[in-house]
Amino acid sequence: MVDTFGRNISYLRLSVTELCNLRCRYCMPEDGVCKKRHEDMLTQEEMILAVRAAAALGISKLRITGGEPLVKAGIVDLCREAAAVEGIRELCLTTNGTLLPKLAGPLREAGVNRLNISLDTLDPEKYAYITRVGSLADALAGIEAALSCGFDKVKINSVLIGGFNDDEIPQLAELSCRYPLDVRFIELMPMYDSGDFGPEAYLPYTVVTERLPELRPVESDGGVARLYRLPGAQGNVGLISPVSAHFCAECNRIRLTADGKLKPCLHSSDEISLKGLDYEGMLETMRSAILAKPKWHGVLSYRERSQANRNMNQIGG
Ligand code: SAM
């Protein structure tokens, strides 16, 4: 479906839970999330109904995210049902990877085509620090599991955090040489409660090309990342600049939160509830939400923080 500003909206990010088995400092509070009432969250049936409505409006790419989607009971069945929805041509999932050793095979078999795995550091102590509770060994085992299961694409997502992982840019990028995967660096977004990191932690994407002058530009794959490649690499290095150079003019996505709020724009507080609606209701509400998608999200910086009023784990990154 084409929105008011001529953008073809073809991509839905569906957050299936706000819960996570990690506590990344820039993403969620230390004590996790205040667990909402079960009846306030979308049921699995409602999620699939929403995917069907979205597909009927022209959504062909679906990303399952969270929270951590792999902590959701029944995630494999949910993926299988979503993959079977007519019109969904690409099913992607974003995860911290730690539960992939058990779930990568079943997810692939259920129809997940692509995996994005979040990894901000290759240092075990720094991994334990940034995630507050996680183990790097689990995340690396998850990446190995993903690579052995034949996904169409595996990408590593690293958030650039000044003073934390900028010294690791070469090692993280080098994963694209060692393994058949893409590595993407993403600017840290000033979300609602990313309190551990202030303006000094924000780094523009250009820091990557400065640190790695050997990166050579490659043709875009139509996504939001600027693509490069290291000499002899098996995969690309992608740079994503939500803060320094927004891509609102090309934004083709809408988001649906685990508590049923449709968000036409990540950084806007506008939310439209789908909770409790039937298929027709979801279709009409989604259509109006797409038409209400703003032209752009306004200035975003550490002075002009995101207006989303939610942390990323409550939106779906
Ligand atoms: N649990 C899954 C994971 O770790 O990938 C999926 C959810 S997580 C919210 C999705 C992505 O959002 C992760 O790659 C995470 O690093 C990113 N993210 C969270 N907060 C962010 C922020 N303030 N700025 C940029 N990226 C952020």
Side-chain angles (χ1 to χ4, degrees), residues 125-145:
E125 281 177 22
K126 284 163 71 177
Y127 189 88
Y129 169 78
I130 199 77
T131 62
R132 291 195 181 104
V133 290
S135 149
L136 177 66
D138 292 343
L140 295 179
I143 294 171
E144 295 281 355

Side-chain angles (χ1 to χ4, degrees), residues 55-301:
L57 292 174
I59 299 281
S60 57
K61 176 174 174 178
L62 175 66
R63 176 172 304 282
I64 305 284
T65 181
E68 173 49 47
L70 303 193
V71 304
K72 184 175 172 60
I75 183 65
V76 174
D77 289 340
L78 177 58
C79 287
R80 184 176 292 109
E81 282 187 63
V85 170
E86 202 184 322
I88 297 300
R89 288 203 285 276
E90 206 173 18
L91 178 59
C92 316
L93 184 140
T94 301
T95 170
N96 60 43
T98 57
L99 299 174
L100 281 176
K102 200 171 84 194
L103 287 171
L107 288 169
R108 180 68 187 117
E109 178 273 324
V112 175
N113 308 106
R114 293 169 167 244
L115 284 183
N116 284 6
I117 304 176
S118 305
L119 182 73
D120 300 327
T121 174
L122 289 166
D123 177 311
E125 281 177 22
K126 284 163 71 177
Y127 189 88
Y129 169 78
I130 199 77
T131 62
R132 291 195 181 104
V133 290
S135 149
L136 177 66
D138 292 343
L140 295 179
I143 294 171
E144 295 281 355
L147 289 172
S148 68
C149 287
F151 289 94
D152 297 346
K153 191 70 141 177
V154 175
K155 294 181 184 171
I156 303 295
N157 283 346
S158 299
V159 178
L160 287 165
I161 308 171
F164 174 73
N165 65 2
D166 41 333
D167 58 332
E168 289 189 74
I169 290 170
Q171 290 91 324
L172 286 163
E174 202 266 330
L175 292 173
S176 68
C177 301
R178 214 176 327 147
Y179 301 106
L181 50 72
D182 290 3
V183 176
R184 295 154 11 126
F185 292 99
I186 303 169
E187 291 174 348
L188 178 65
M189 293 181 283
M191 301 306 289
Y192 170 64
D193 187 25
S194 45
D196 283 36
F197 299 101
E200 69 292 344
Y202 163 75
L203 292 173
Y205 73 94
T206 46
V207 73
V208 178
T209 45
E210 282 160 21
R211 297 282 160 88
L212 293 171
E214 61 272 41
L215 280 173
R216 290 286 162 262
V218 298
E219 209 179 308
S220 162
D221 60 0
V224 296
R226 292 172 175 78
L227 296 183
Y228 297 82
R229 206 170 251 254
L230 285 170
Q234 303 188 61
N236 294 328
V237 170
L239 308 182
I240 305 182
S241 58
V243 180
S244 70
H246 70 79
F247 28 78
C248 301
E250 290 91 50
C251 183
N252 62 350
R253 58 188 70 169
I254 54 172
R255 294 168 194 262
L256 180 57
T257 66
D259 59 351
K261 305 294 191 297
L262 202 55
K263 285 183 72 67
C265 168
L266 167 60
H267 294 298
S268 158
S269 60
D270 288 351
E271 299 181 344
I272 304 126
S273 184
L274 295 187
K275 178 71 193 160
L277 299 184
D278 62 8
Y279 176 75
E280 289 301 328
M282 286 197 187
L283 197 65
E284 280 322 304
T285 308
M286 227 176 247
R287 198 192 305 276
S288 351
I290 291 175
L291 290 175
K293 186 173 166 68
K295 188 172 183 188
W296 77 303
H297 55 53
V299 181
L300 194 62
S301 76

